[in-house]
Amino acid sequence: MEWLLNDDGSIRKFPLDEYASSALDWLTLHLASLTRGLSAFVAGWISTGTEFLLQIPPWVLILALAGGAFALAGRRVGLLALFGFLFLWNLRLWDATVETLVLVTLSTLAALLIGLPIGIGCALSERAWKTVSPALDMMQTMPSFVYLIPAIPFFGLGSVSAVFATVIFSMPPVIRLTALGIRGVPHDLTEAADAFGTTPVQKLLKVQLPLALPTIMAGINQTIMLGLSMVVIASMIGAGGLGREVWRSIQRLDAGSGFQAGIAIVILAVVLDRVTQAMARRARSA
């Protein structure tokens, strides 16, 4: 037992930090070619999407976004989006808003493409759920700043690291709520589907997913909100958008500019939240 003790008789510290650093160094070395390719691919999507939207006259894009909000969530949310985005344009924060919107959209789509299949798998397999659930608990309790640390060695400073950190940070809600929604489908309905001779795929697509859609939409809403919060935090590692405005204000101790950028983030978050909540209510009433 002497190997557990230091020379002064105190218990040796478990070198978790050294093991974590060694593992990160090994992964960075052996996955360098893959991460460079992913980084170039994601950077291309970010720059292309941002440049395309910024070429559209702001008033045209604002009308299009407000029209989409009206179609998805009704007149009240459509007006909120219209006046909110016009206000951001007036504050000279439109370019930063578009950058943030692109980052959140790409991060959310990636999180959904990865998280929805995992959530479906967890719903259909008890073993998969017991395996994934502890990882989700750890991901949801880990401080958000920690996700930025491993992203930098893999993808460097900038928006690409922000996207990958945001995907990991925002994925747990959609996995958990997708699994919860499908597992919460009444057994008598799934038994009736089995009695009619449906295949597992038919039962999933025509019974379980439609009934679980309101819960899944709630998970998508939470994923979007977490993605927006993480994109803002990721300004510390060079991400653009409204988060950069906040971080710049902190560095300059400019309270007015910081408050202005904070209000812009709130407006964007409220619009996205109201739209996705309305889509969830529509799915619930369908």
Side-chain angles (χ1 to χ4, degrees):
M1 297 296 291
E2 293 182 356
W3 61 276
L4 289 174
L5 302 177
N6 293 315
D7 294 337
D8 59 0
S10 61
I11 298 177
R12 289 183 182 273
K13 173 185 174 295
F14 182 74
L16 180 60
D17 52 349
E18 297 177 10
Y19 290 155
S21 297
S22 299
L24 185 59
D25 292 339
W26 186 89
L27 290 172
T28 304
L29 177 64
H30 289 81
L31 298 179
S33 58
L34 176 62
T35 56
R36 280 197 298 266
L38 284 174
S39 180
F41 177 76
V42 175
W45 275 98
I46 294 172
S47 61
T48 301
T50 304
E51 291 172 5
F52 172 75
L53 292 179
L54 290 178
Q55 287 177 355
I56 301 174
W59 65 270
V60 174
L61 184 55
I62 289 172
L63 287 177
L65 293 174
F70 174 80
L72 293 172
R75 182 178 61 183
R76 182 176 300 178
V77 179
L79 291 174
L80 172 65
L82 176 63
F83 291 111
F85 289 145
L86 285 174
F87 183 57
L88 298 185
W89 184 24
N90 176 262
L91 293 178
R92 309 298 189 268
L93 291 174
W94 183 244
D95 288 1
T97 301
V98 169
E99 291 181 45
T100 300
L101 195 58
V102 170
L103 291 176
V104 171
T105 301
L106 291 178
S107 302
T108 301
L109 288 177
L112 296 181
L113 288 174
I114 299 171
L116 286 173
I118 295 175
I120 293 171
C122 291
L124 302 179
S125 171
E126 187 66 27
R127 179 176 297 178
W129 173 246
K130 290 182 179 179
T131 302
V132 173
S133 183
L136 296 179
D137 294 337
M138 183 184 71
M139 292 167 67
Q140 289 187 292
T141 55
M142 188 79 71
S144 56
F145 292 96
V146 176
Y147 289 94
L148 302 178
I149 300 173
I152 297 173
F154 285 117
F155 306 106
L157 296 173
S159 298
V160 177
S161 289
V163 167
F164 279 91
T166 302
V167 169
I168 301 301
F169 179 70
S170 63
M171 202 187 307
V174 73
I175 297 176
R176 194 181 294 276
L177 289 175
T178 298
L180 178 64
I182 295 175
R183 291 161 71 94
V185 173
H187 290 291
D188 54 348
L189 294 178
T190 57
E191 290 174 357
D194 291 333
F196 280 102
T198 59
T199 65
V201 175
Q202 289 175 330
K203 182 172 65 174
L204 175 65
L205 296 179
K206 296 185 177 182
V207 178
Q208 292 172 305
L209 282 179
L211 293 174
L213 188 57
T215 306
I216 295 173
M217 287 302 304
I220 293 174
N221 173 272
Q222 292 301 306
T223 295
I224 293 174
M225 292 299 101
L226 288 177
L228 180 58
S229 68
M230 190 63 181
V231 164
V232 173
I233 294 172
S235 62
M236 298 177 62
I237 59 171
L242 295 170
R244 179 174 56 196
E245 300 298 323
V246 174
W247 182 240
R248 186 179 299 163
S249 301
I250 293 174
Q251 292 177 314
R252 298 176 178 177
L253 297 177
D254 187 348
S257 297
F259 179 78
Q260 177 177 271
I263 289 296
I265 293 168
V266 170
I267 292 173
L268 183 58
V270 169
V271 171
L272 294 175
D273 179 64
R274 294 297 184 270
V275 169
T276 52
Q277 281 191 16
M279 294 171 64
R281 287 195 299 269
R282 184 176 297 180
R284 192 176 297 114
S285 60

